[in-house]
């Protein structure tokens, strides 16, 4: 073959190969377009999740609220308008000062229980709705805090100072709850601090409190109990810190002991100073000693604020995970929500109950029923406390009793996809504070959702044919009502959980920022150094809940099943060989009085706690009961009746049981931070009369807690694993069998022909299975758009 022919053949071969490659690419492109079109057609054919059943959600505010519903915006406004019209109350609406008369909060007063039950169970007329109003009377001499009942809410026309039979009213002004007005008063003190030692602040810390631009100081206050000071003067220790994200873990070594008594902020003053661990009796003394060189000068640098600052919540650290940009798993309700909401009444499977957000005590559920039978009249938060320890007075005297912040006013802005699943329904609440006109609507204060826990509620596999060959199981799908209280640095997640087996669970979990101080050798027995100059001191979290059980009515008994050792002889089983074997048994112990019923956990005396109506037994003459158990018990080891322990006597017991009284509404009060010398609510009085509790309406006061010694992994935020504390209320011989046996959620697998295993198996599911494919309606951008358009739904702007 000559050279020209060879070249021509090569060119044709190359051209042919190129043509083949081009054709292949065109075929791939056409296939891709066709597949894309098919996917578009298929996507159009796939319905959105939840379209199969009509939604049953009405979260609106009712015109005629039911007996458990919180105050409506109209009722709050009506109460305000009425009180403003009362001359002797001297209420002010604007330019509020410490010496003003103003409303600190308005809450619904639940009517007497007997009247509520007469309405619910006997079709009597509903009792009148009333409101409790707390007014700070800074205009009086001496100033006081007054609590009024205002009625009727439909058209308020009367106000009466509440006459409590077991607590005082009015209350000394020094025990007042925190308000924004007081913080404005404290800011006047900070101006004095800048005036007297501003040069020291700038030289030592590179920051001041006022006119400071982006390099400011702030403070974390803690009220010092009257039990510690020995008088009713209102004083606080202030831990000074850098005002950055987040200030509680950016302390400086400056502590201020401030007198904030009375109603004139110009008289508020610093009584003691701790600078670099050195105590002085006044700002002037510190300033003079600083100039003369009689104090060791402190030097700290204002932190560089960027995403790498350890206290910020920007993503950083290890290489991003997952390595690819894969979205997290999401919840889907293929046939729509399986619960119903009508204003604040919620129904789920066999459950029905009401939810509300009490202004002072926080989240509550009422009239909790399973299969139509009331299990509990009320389950709700009472108090949260955190007692710190340390060498510095800011730790040593930091005994926070958090209802001073009014829990209901601290529940807001739950974030979809993080705080609650994407499928959740949200409930808003309304609150009034600092005499604002009208009320503030807090969006997303509660979320309600059904949770597939991914964990079996029950299951059993019998694999072997000679034992039956079957499987039966059911996933623990449950309903959760959640709120999160943000109490300055700590966030507390509170869940009410309803299982299909008739178990109701109350859970509290903590997260958030720790309260830090400046590390020195004196603090090493109280906390670890976890960052440059930062110590996280030991503290004790404590929680108290009220559980008003009504098992088959209000005539209930409390028994413990005391588990004990018993020695038994095996002689008749072992041909006369007299061996002694130890085993366990239980004895029933009926608790007859309130003091007999106080419970302090003891490993040496294990027991179960059951509550029942003695008139209702099983066919085997066994009490139809509910069992109560605690997970998260924590011993409060401070000496009883000493100093500020007097404000939390409920923490002495893991459980106390009292006879119901309309006068024993709560175990604590919003004055607890200050009133240790003479508690406004003294829980010990509930027990001191030692009333009979046999066949009575019983209330349980249940305490949980945990010790926390912060460590470096608590930075920037503490995590929730290991911090779950629960109250479990479970049927105990109440039903003839597990009531979840009626659920469609269970699965059974069995042999098609028991005598012929080779024939295969049959899977039974207890619903008509539709086309399960659906498209989730949730988009992260829905939340993003909402807060962009309504920023106050998430942040204070």
């Amino acid at each position: 073959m000559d050279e020209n022919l060879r070249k021509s053949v090569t060119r044709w071969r190359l051209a042919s190969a190129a043509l083949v490659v081009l054709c292949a690419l065109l075929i791939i492109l056409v296939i891709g377009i066709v597949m894309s079109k098919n996917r578009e057609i298929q996507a159009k054919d796939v319905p959105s999740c939840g379209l199969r059943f009509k939604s049953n959600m009405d979260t609106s505010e009712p015109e005629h609220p039911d007996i458990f519903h919180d105050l409506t915006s109209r009722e709050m406004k009506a109460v305000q308008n009425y009180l403003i019209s009362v001359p002797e109350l001297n209420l002010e609406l604007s330019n509020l000062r410490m010496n003003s008369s103003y409303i600190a909060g308005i809450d619904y007063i639940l009517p007497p229980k007997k009247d509520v039950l007469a309405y619910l169970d006997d079709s009597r007329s509903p009792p009148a709705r009333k409101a409790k109003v707390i007014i700070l009377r800074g205009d009086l001499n001496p100033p006081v805090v007054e609590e009024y009942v205002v009625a009727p809410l439909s058209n308020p026309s009367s106000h009466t100072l509440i006459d409590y039979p077991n607590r005082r009213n009015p209350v000394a002004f020094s025990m007042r709850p925190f308000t924004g007005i007081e913080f404005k008063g404290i800011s006047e003190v900070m101006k004095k601090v800048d005036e007297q030692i501003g040069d020291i602040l700038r030289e030592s810390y590179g920051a001041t409190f006022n006119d400071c631009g982006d390099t400011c100081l702030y403070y974390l206050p803690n009220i010092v109990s009257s039990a510690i000071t020995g008088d009713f003067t209102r004083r606080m220790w202030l831990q000074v810190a850098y005002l950055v994200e987040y200030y509680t873990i950016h302390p400086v070594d400056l502590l201020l002991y401030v007198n904030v008594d009375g109603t004139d902020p110009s008289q508020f003053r610093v009584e003691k100073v701790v600078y670099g661990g050195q105590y002085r009796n006044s700002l002037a003394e510190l300033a003079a000693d600083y100039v003369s060189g009689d104090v060791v000068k402190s030097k700290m640098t204002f932190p560089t604020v960027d995403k790498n600052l350890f206290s910020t919540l920007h993503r950083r650290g290890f290489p991003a995970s997952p390595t690819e940009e894969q979205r997290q798993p999401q919840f889907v309700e293929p046939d729509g929500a399986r619960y119903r909401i009508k204003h604040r009444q919620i129904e789920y499977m066999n459950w029905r109950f009401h939810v509300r957000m009490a202004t002072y005590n926080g989240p509550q559920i009422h009239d909790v029923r399973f299969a139509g039978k009331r299990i509990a009249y009320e389950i709700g938060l009472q108090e949260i406390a955190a007692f710190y320890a340390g060498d510095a007075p800011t730790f040593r005297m930091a005994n926070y009793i958090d209802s001073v912040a009014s829990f209901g006013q601290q529940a807001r802005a739950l974030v979809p996809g993080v705080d609650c699943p994407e499928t959740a329904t949200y409930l808003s609440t309304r609150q009034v504070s600092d005499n604002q006109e009208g009320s503030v609507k807090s969006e997303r204060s509660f979320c309600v959702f059904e949770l597939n826990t991914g964990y079996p509620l029950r299951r059993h596999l019998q694999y072997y044919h000679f034992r039956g060959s079957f499987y039966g199981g059911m996933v623990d799908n449950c309903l959760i009502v959640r709120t999160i209280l943000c109490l300055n640095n700590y966030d507390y997640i509170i869940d009410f959980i309803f299982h299909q087996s008739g178990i109701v669970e109350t859970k509290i979990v903590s997260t958030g920022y720790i309260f830090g101080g400046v590390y020195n050798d004196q603090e090493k027995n109280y906390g670890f150094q976890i960052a440059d100059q930062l110590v996280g001191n030991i503290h004790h979290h404590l929680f108290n809940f009220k559980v008003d059980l009504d098992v088959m009515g209000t005539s209930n008994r409390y028994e413990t099943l005391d588990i004990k050792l018993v020695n038994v002889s095996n002689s008749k089983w072992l041909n006369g060989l007299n061996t002694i074997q130890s085993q366990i048994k239980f004895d029933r112990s009926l608790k007859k009085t309130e003091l007999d019923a106080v419970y302090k956990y003891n490993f040496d005396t294990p027991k179960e706690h059951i509550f029942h109506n003695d008139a209702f037994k099983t066919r085997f003459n066994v009490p139809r009961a509910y069992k109560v158990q605690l997970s998260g018990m924590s011993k409060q080891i401070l000496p009883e009746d000493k100093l500020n322990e007097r404000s939390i006597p409920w923490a002495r017991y893991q459980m106390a049981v009292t006879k119901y009284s309309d006068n024993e509404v709560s175990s604590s009060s919003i004055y607890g931070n200050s009133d240790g010398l003479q508690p406004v609510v003294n829980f010990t009085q509930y027990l001191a009369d030692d009333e009979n509790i046999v066949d009575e309406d019983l209330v349980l006061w249940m305490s949980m807690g945990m010790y926390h010694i912060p460590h470096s992994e608590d930075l920037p935020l503490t995590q929730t694993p290991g911090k779950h504390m629960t109250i479990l209320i479970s049927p105990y011989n109440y039903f003839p069998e597990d009531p979840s046996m009626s659920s469609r959620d269970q699965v059974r697998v069995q042999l098609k022909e028991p005598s012929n295993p080779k024939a295969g198996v049959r899977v039974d599911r207890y619903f008509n299975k539709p086309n399960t494919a659906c498209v989730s309606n949730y988009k992260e951008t829905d939340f993003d758009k909402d807060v962009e358009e309504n920023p106050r739904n998430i942040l204070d702007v």
Side-chain angles (χ1 to χ4, degrees):
M1 184 180 295
D2 63 27
E3 187 65 24
N4 289 334
L5 182 59
R6 186 182 296 108
K7 290 182 178 179
S8 177
V9 170
T10 300
R11 284 195 295 268
W12 276 107
R13 285 176 177 173
L14 291 173
S16 299
L19 185 61
V20 170
V21 171
L22 180 62
C23 289
L25 290 173
L26 287 173
I27 291 170
I28 292 171
L29 179 62
V30 170
I31 291 173
I33 292 172
V34 171
M35 292 180 66
S36 176
K37 291 293 184 182
N38 286 339
R39 281 194 296 267
E40 290 179 11
I41 293 170
Q42 290 172 3
K44 290 178 181 178
D45 292 338
V46 177
S48 294
C49 295
L51 295 182
R52 187 163 173 250
F53 292 97
K54 183 179 178 181
S55 173
N56 289 288
M57 305 297 171
D58 179 2
T59 62
S60 65
E61 184 177 89
E63 185 170 349
H64 302 290
D66 65 46
I67 200 164
F68 294 112
H69 200 287
D70 284 318
L71 298 176
T72 66
S73 57
R74 289 183 293 275
E75 289 174 326
M76 289 181 175
K77 184 63 177 174
V79 169
Q80 288 174 301
N81 289 341
Y82 166 71
L83 293 176
I84 290 167
S85 72
V86 178
E88 60 267 27
L89 294 179
N90 196 28
L91 289 172
E92 299 181 42
L93 291 176
S94 59
N95 300 318
L96 299 180
R97 304 168 304 281
M98 291 292 294
N99 61 356
S100 297
S101 173
Y102 64 94
I103 295 172
I106 304 177
D107 199 8
Y108 177 54
I109 297 178
L110 198 64
K113 183 176 178 180
K114 61 179 177 58
D115 297 338
V116 175
L117 295 183
Y119 164 67
L120 293 175
D121 300 341
D122 300 329
S123 300
R124 303 281 181 85
S125 299
R129 288 171 59 84
K130 300 178 181 180
K132 179 169 79 171
V133 182
I134 293 184
I135 301 179
L136 270 60
R137 297 300 305 273
D139 60 320
L140 297 180
N141 187 15
V144 293
V145 181
E146 296 177 332
E147 299 189 8
Y148 288 91
V149 57
V150 177
L153 294 184
S154 56
N155 184 25
S157 57
S158 70
H159 65 287
T160 306
L161 197 66
I162 302 176
D163 183 15
Y164 296 106
N166 54 359
R167 53 179 283 191
R168 59 191 181 278
N169 181 33
V171 174
F173 197 67
S174 61
M175 298 182 190
R176 62 189 176 271
F178 265 135
T179 66
I181 310 306
E182 181 163 20
F183 274 101
K184 291 179 182 178
I186 296 174
S187 69
E188 296 300 313
V189 179
M190 298 301 103
K191 291 178 182 178
K192 297 176 185 178
V193 173
D194 277 353
E195 290 170 1
Q196 295 187 55
I197 63 168
D199 291 341
I200 298 176
L201 299 180
R202 280 184 284 270
E203 184 174 330
S204 300
Y205 310 118
T208 57
F209 289 101
N210 298 280
D211 301 323
C212 47
D214 294 331
T215 55
C216 294
L217 295 172
Y218 195 55
Y219 57 88
L220 178 67
N222 64 73
I223 299 171
V224 182
S225 172
S226 58
I228 295 174
T229 63
D231 60 41
F232 292 108
T233 303
R234 190 172 178 90
R235 294 185 176 91
M236 299 179 183
W237 273 106
L238 308 182
Q239 166 68 69
V240 179
Y242 288 122
L243 184 54
V244 297
E245 184 183 323
Y246 189 65
Y247 72 98
T248 64
I249 52 176
H250 283 284
V252 301
D253 54 2
L254 179 66
L255 316 176
L256 304 173
Y257 188 51
V258 181
N259 184 318
V260 289
D261 205 43
T263 61
D264 184 358
S266 69
Q267 299 302 309
F268 292 176
R269 59 194 179 275
V270 176
E271 294 186 340
K272 292 185 184 299
V273 186
V274 183
Y275 169 80
Q278 303 157 95
Y279 286 73
R280 294 297 183 269
N281 289 316
S282 67
L283 295 172
E285 184 179 338
L286 172 62
D289 287 352
Y290 190 90
V291 171
S292 66
D294 289 334
V295 295
V296 178
K297 293 184 178 181
S298 182
K299 185 66 176 177
M300 300 181 73
T301 303
F302 197 92
T304 299
V305 180
D306 59 27
K307 69 177 183 179
N308 293 314
L309 182 62
F310 76 92
S311 59
T312 65
L313 301 184
H314 300 284
R315 191 186 67 78
R316 60 179 177 273
F318 294 108
S321 57
T323 54
E324 303 295 333
E325 293 188 10
Q326 296 171 283
R327 289 172 291 178
Q328 63 191 0
Q330 293 184 354
F331 286 80
V332 173
E333 294 173 329
D335 299 318
R338 304 196 299 178
Y339 56 90
R340 301 175 180 178
I341 300 177
K342 181 68 172 178
H343 305 309
R344 292 298 179 267
Q345 185 182 80
I346 301 174
E347 295 183 20
Y348 170 71
M349 305 300 181
N350 287 308
W351 290 103
R352 190 177 78 222
F353 58 93
H354 299 254
V355 62
R356 63 179 293 257
M357 181 68 74
T359 298
Y360 308 113
N361 293 117
Q364 321 279 312
I365 55 175
H366 292 280
D367 197 24
V368 181
R369 300 179 185 230
F370 187 86
K373 297 290 187 181
R374 184 178 299 111
I375 304 301
Y377 179 75
E378 175 184 355
I379 303 174
L381 178 66
Q382 296 296 293
E383 189 59 271
I384 298 174
F387 275 38
Y388 286 77
D391 181 72
T394 41
F395 285 124
R396 186 175 299 178
M397 300 182 193
N399 299 156
Y400 291 104
I401 301 172
D402 285 330
S403 63
V404 69
S406 299
F407 291 141
Q409 296 175 5
Q410 313 306 320
R412 61 174 71 88
L414 297 175
V415 175
V418 181
D419 297 329
C420 309
E422 302 84 354
T423 55
T425 303
Y426 293 89
L427 304 178
S428 61
T429 59
R430 287 188 173 273
Q431 301 290 337
V432 171
S433 64
D434 294 358
N435 214 43
Q436 59 202 146
E437 291 189 71
S439 57
V440 172
K441 184 179 182 180
S442 295
E443 297 286 357
R444 302 190 304 276
S445 295
F446 284 107
C447 64
V448 183
F449 57 94
E450 186 176 9
L451 178 69
N452 181 326
T453 64
Y455 203 85
L457 177 67
R458 49 178 168 80
R459 63 95 68 185
H460 182 68
L461 169 66
Q462 184 44 256
Y463 180 80
Y464 295 104
H465 175 240
F466 66 87
R467 290 177 180 166
S469 284
F470 67 91
Y471 169 85
M474 174 180 165
V475 71
D476 188 10
N477 291 318
C478 56
L479 187 78
I480 297 181
V481 178
R482 173 174 296 166
T483 189
I484 302 180
L485 306 181
C486 185
L487 305 177
N488 194 13
N489 54 310
Y490 265 110
D491 299 57
Y492 296 101
I493 305 164
I494 300 172
D495 288 351
F496 299 109
I497 306 172
F498 301 85
H499 300 268
Q500 294 186 56
S501 56
I503 295 172
V504 58
E505 183 179 355
T506 301
K507 178 185 293 186
I508 188 163
V509 188
S510 65
T511 180
Y513 283 98
I514 66 166
F515 165 29
V518 175
Y519 182 81
N520 57 55
D521 285 343
Q522 287 71 41
E523 300 292 354
K524 65 183 179 182
N525 289 329
Y526 302 103
F528 295 107
Q529 182 173 3
I530 55 177
D532 291 339
Q533 300 179 310
L534 178 66
V535 62
N537 280 40
I538 185 173
H539 52 285
H540 194 186
H541 291 281
L542 293 159
F543 310 94
N544 189 247
F545 285 82
K546 178 181 181 180
V547 178
D548 182 351
L549 284 181
D550 285 349
V551 182
M552 291 293 185
T554 58
S555 178
N556 285 175
R557 294 183 170 194
Y558 167 38
E559 287 188 27
T560 58
L561 308 181
D562 299 337
I563 300 169
K564 299 178 178 180
L565 276 177
V566 59
N567 295 322
V568 294
S569 171
N570 288 327
S571 60
K572 69 178 179 179
W573 314 115
L574 297 175
N575 299 322
L577 182 63
N578 190 21
T579 60
I580 302 299
Q581 178 179 332
S582 295
Q583 62 182 10
I584 56 176
K585 67 166 189 171
F586 71 87
D587 292 334
R588 291 175 59 177
S589 175
L590 177 66
K591 305 304 178 184
K592 297 182 178 179
T593 69
E594 292 172 329
L595 289 177
D596 186 30
V598 293
Y599 172 60
K600 296 183 178 182
Y601 182 77
N602 184 346
F603 268 109
D604 294 327
T605 57
K607 59 192 67 194
E608 304 252 283
H609 307 267
I610 65 170
F611 294 82
H612 63 94
N613 186 325
D614 196 52
F616 294 87
K617 305 285 181 66
T618 70
R619 61 193 179 96
F620 309 110
N621 201 36
V622 174
R624 295 181 62 186
Y626 257 75
K627 182 178 78 170
V628 174
Q629 61 190 93
L630 282 167
S631 171
M633 292 181 289
S634 182
K635 184 174 176 59
Q636 208 296 91
I637 62 176
L638 296 178
E640 294 183 5
D641 205 31
K642 300 291 185 183
L643 301 180
N644 211 28
E645 192 276 341
R646 296 174 187 147
S647 293
I648 56 165
W650 45 264
R652 299 171 190 173
Y653 320 105
Q654 280 65 63
M655 182 172 69
V657 180
T658 61
K659 178 181 175 181
Y660 178 88
S661 169
D662 287 321
N663 297 319
E664 296 174 355
V665 176
S666 177
S667 61
S668 188
S669 81
I670 59 173
Y671 311 108
N673 242 85
S674 307
D675 69 358
L677 196 61
Q678 188 181 352
V680 173
V681 171
N682 188 346
F683 181 72
T684 62
Q685 293 179 354
Y686 295 7
L687 305 172
D689 52 8
D690 200 22
E691 290 186 279
N692 169 63
I693 58 169
V694 178
D695 300 333
E696 298 286 356
D697 191 357
L698 303 182
V699 177
L700 290 59
W701 308 89
M702 311 195 72
S703 299
M704 298 178 288
M706 65 176 182
Y707 287 98
H708 185 194
I709 305 174
H711 47 89
S712 57
E713 292 80 9
D714 283 320
L715 300 176
L717 299 178
T718 65
Q719 305 106 49
T720 57
K723 299 179 177 68
H724 294 235
M725 290 155 282
T726 61
I727 300 169
L728 210 65
I729 303 172
S730 311
Y732 200 79
N733 296 314
Y734 188 89
F735 299 105
E737 66 173 358
D738 176 1
S740 74
M741 291 305 297
S742 66
S743 176
R744 296 182 187 271
D745 292 348
Q746 56 195 315
V747 176
R748 176 177 171 82
V749 183
Q750 65 185 39
L751 297 174
K752 289 181 178 179
E753 300 178 20
S755 61
N756 181 21
K758 300 295 185 182
V761 301
R762 184 179 79 240
V763 179
D764 291 332
R765 298 181 185 273
Y766 298 91
F767 55 88
N768 294 321
K769 188 177 180 180
N771 183 358
T772 57
C774 65
V775 178
S776 172
N777 293 312
Y778 174 76
K779 300 182 183 68
E780 289 89 347
T781 52
D782 292 344
F783 170 75
D784 300 354
K785 183 179 179 181
D786 172 59
V787 296
E788 286 171 6
E789 295 176 353
N790 306 285
R792 284 188 63 85
N793 285 353
I794 183 67
L795 299 175
D796 183 18
V797 296

